[in-house]
Amino acid sequence: MIGSVIYLLTNHWVHVLDSLPYVFGAAMLVMHLFGHGGHGGHSGHGASGRTSGHGGRPDQEGAGDVR
C-alpha cells in the first residue's frame, strides 16, 4: 500500500495533482452526508420547548421550521 502511494507520488504526481479537486469535492460530500446523520439531520438539535435557533417564539407551533 505504501509502495503504491510512493510510486504514484514519484512517477505520476501530475495525475495526482489533477485529481485533488475531485478528491476534495467527494470528501466534502461524504463529510456533509455522514456528519449530519444523513439528510434531515439539520432540524431538531435538542430543542425541547425552545426555538431551534431559526427564529420565532417557542409558543408558536413550527415557528422555526424552514422547509
Side-chain angles (χ1 to χ4, degrees), residues 17-29:
L17 290 178
D18 286 340
S19 66
L20 284 181
Y22 300 106
V23 170
F24 286 136
M28 284 187 269
L29 175 67

Side-chain angles (χ1 to χ4, degrees), residues 49 57-61:
R57 295 191 322 246
D59 58 345
Q60 292 177 335
E61 185 66 26

Side-chain angles (χ1 to χ4, degrees):
M1 177 75 175
I2 295 174
S4 61
V5 171
I6 292 172
Y7 174 75
L8 282 175
L9 291 177
T10 57
N11 293 327
H12 297 282
W13 64 274
V14 174
H15 302 295
V16 172
L17 290 178
D18 286 340
S19 66
L20 284 181
Y22 300 106
V23 170
F24 286 136
M28 284 187 269
L29 175 67
V30 169
M31 287 189 298
H32 179 78
L33 289 176
F34 291 112
H36 290 291
H39 277 265
H42 288 278
S43 62
H45 290 287
S48 59
R50 296 178 284 142
T51 60
S52 60
H54 296 290
R57 295 191 322 246
D59 58 345
Q60 292 177 335
E61 185 66 26
D65 291 340
V66 179
R67 292 185 186 173

